[in-house]
């Protein structure tokens, strides 16, 4: 068995050169992981990219990644849980590059825990970044683009456990389910204003910024646990993001695009032996 073929290598452009030459793109959490990969592909297609986040070091990594492919980028400090900071971040981005026409809501938080061990503050820490942050960023974007009648595109980063549930990450799964629903609601509300809202639900994409809870130290390869017999390449997500936010997808809105090599559909009566959540979660701190 050979599995699904690899995508063209990193460095290829999915869309015509200059597709986003007249666009300003904000990527929240764009300084690491899949956010950085997405920001890079927008830069490769000519966009002016704003790396938005709290960590100055990560913002700089995002800037360097975009500039390495010939793009323009700045970093802007912002906590997506704070509406006042969001407004100030948009003001700073637009003072530098002009009106923001594409928003990628990638910022997230997560940690593995049994639901009964998650405190109220721990639950809110995740949902406020993932769900509240997506709502606050999106509404700030929409108010501006409705007012100036420019339109634009929003892309949210969802997850397949929005539909299946996420044992061991109940807070994140609930928040991502909200993001999928919000994507659908806002697509309908803002369609008349030429604002499209879509989402991507990624599968497993290995990269250097993965948290410890995402690293799988198994004797057999992770690839063998996927129907595609491989994991995703981060630039594949970047290509999907640029397509969904481009005019080539002008009639696509309210859609959540699953990009996981069919892994989330792998359900049958011959599933691997069930393991209770606590058997594979890290031990609780005393």
């Amino acid at each position: 068995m050979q599995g699904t073929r690899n995508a063209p290598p990193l460095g290829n452009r999915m869309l015509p050169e200059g597709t986003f030459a007249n666009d300003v793109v904000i990527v929240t959490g764009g300084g690491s992981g899949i956010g950085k990969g997405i920001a890079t592909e927008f830069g490769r297609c000519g966009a002016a990219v704003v790396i938005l986040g709290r960590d100055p070091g990560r913002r700089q990594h995002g800037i360097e990644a975009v500039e390495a492919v010939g793009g323009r980028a700045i970093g802007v400090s912002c906590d997506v849980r704070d509406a006042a900071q969001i407004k100030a971040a948009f003001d700073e981005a637009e003072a530098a590059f002009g009106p923001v026409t594409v928003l990628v809501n990638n910022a997230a938080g997560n940690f593995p825990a049994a639901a009964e061990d998650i405190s109220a503050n721990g639950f809110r820490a995740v949902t406020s970044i993932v769900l509240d942050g997506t709502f606050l960023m999106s509404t700030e974007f929409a108010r501006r683009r409705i007012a100036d009648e420019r339109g634009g595109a929003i892309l949210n980063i969802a997850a397949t456990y929005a539909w299946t549930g996420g044992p061991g990450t109940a807070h994140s799964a609930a928040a991502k389910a909200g993001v999928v629903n919000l994507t659908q609601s806002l697509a309908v509300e803002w369609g008349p204003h030429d604002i499209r809202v879509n989402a991507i639900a990624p599968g497993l994409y290995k990269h250097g910024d993965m948290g410890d809870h995402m690293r799988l130290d198994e004797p057999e390869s992770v690839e063998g646990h996927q129907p595609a017999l491989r994991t995703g390449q981060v630039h594949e997500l970047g290509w999907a993001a640029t397509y969904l936010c481009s005019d080539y997808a002008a009639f696509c809105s309210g859609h959540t695009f699953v990009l996981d090599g069919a892994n989330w559909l792998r359900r049958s009566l011959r599933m691997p032996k069930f393991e209770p959540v606590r058997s594979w979660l890290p031990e609780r701190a005393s």
Side-chain angles (χ1 to χ4, degrees):
M1 293 186 295
Q2 65 181 17
T4 301
R5 71 187 66 184
N6 283 321
L10 177 65
N12 283 269
R13 185 183 297 104
M14 178 192 177
L15 298 171
E17 184 173 0
T19 295
F20 289 96
N22 297 317
D23 288 282
V24 179
V25 181
I26 284 182
V27 183
T28 68
S32 61
I34 65 174
K36 184 171 70 175
I38 289 171
T40 300
E41 295 309 317
F42 275 107
R44 198 187 305 278
C45 288
V49 182
V50 180
I51 307 296
L52 191 148
R54 292 179 290 172
D55 187 304
R58 289 189 175 185
R59 293 197 302 270
Q60 185 59 35
H61 290 157
I63 293 169
E64 291 169 358
V66 172
E67 291 180 342
V69 298
R72 299 171 292 154
I74 61 170
V76 175
S77 176
C78 182
D79 185 335
V80 299
R81 299 170 293 185
D82 187 313
Q85 288 191 41
I86 289 171
K87 182 179 184 303
F90 268 85
D91 287 344
E92 184 175 343
E94 297 193 338
F97 287 143
V100 176
T101 51
V102 176
L103 167 64
V104 180
N105 286 308
N106 169 73
N110 197 6
F111 59 88
E116 65 269 26
D117 294 337
I118 301 174
S119 68
N121 285 339
F123 189 86
R124 282 192 294 267
V126 171
T127 60
S128 61
I129 295 172
V130 175
L131 182 55
D132 297 5
T134 295
F135 175 77
L136 293 172
M137 288 292 300
S138 297
T139 50
E140 181 65 30
F141 175 91
R143 281 190 288 267
R144 292 169 185 249
R145 299 296 73 87
I146 291 171
D148 63 15
E149 298 183 339
R150 287 179 181 270
I154 297 172
L155 182 70
N156 300 322
I157 303 303
T160 56
Y161 55 32
W163 299 292
T164 64
T169 55
H171 41 11
S172 176
K176 292 294 189 181
V179 167
V180 169
N181 189 276
L182 190 63
T183 298
Q184 296 166 334
S185 297
L186 299 183
V188 174
E189 288 199 32
W190 295 339
H193 301 288
D194 189 27
I195 296 174
R196 297 183 300 106
V197 188
N198 290 295
I200 290 177
L204 183 59
Y205 288 74
K206 293 194 290 187
H207 54 78
D209 299 310
M210 291 175 72
D212 290 341
H213 68 285
M214 293 289 289
R215 299 181 188 276
L216 303 178
D217 299 320
E218 299 176 315
E220 50 189 311
S221 76
V222 149
E223 285 78 5
H225 289 247
Q226 315 288 316
L229 300 184
R230 72 174 179 89
T231 56
Q233 299 167 291
V234 172
H235 62 278
E236 292 179 271
L237 278 177
W239 290 339
T242 55
Y243 166 69
L244 287 170
C245 294
S246 75
D247 286 349
Y248 294 93
F251 201 52
C252 181
S253 194
H255 177 62
T256 298
F257 180 17
V258 177
L259 203 60
D260 78 338
N263 194 51
W264 85 288
L265 299 172
R266 192 176 58 123
R267 297 289 182 273
S268 75
L269 294 176
R270 298 183 62 184
M271 291 291 287
K273 182 181 177 181
F274 176 74
E275 297 182 10
V277 168
R278 285 201 179 280
S279 69
W280 51 264
L281 283 175
E283 291 186 11
R284 285 181 292 178
S286 58

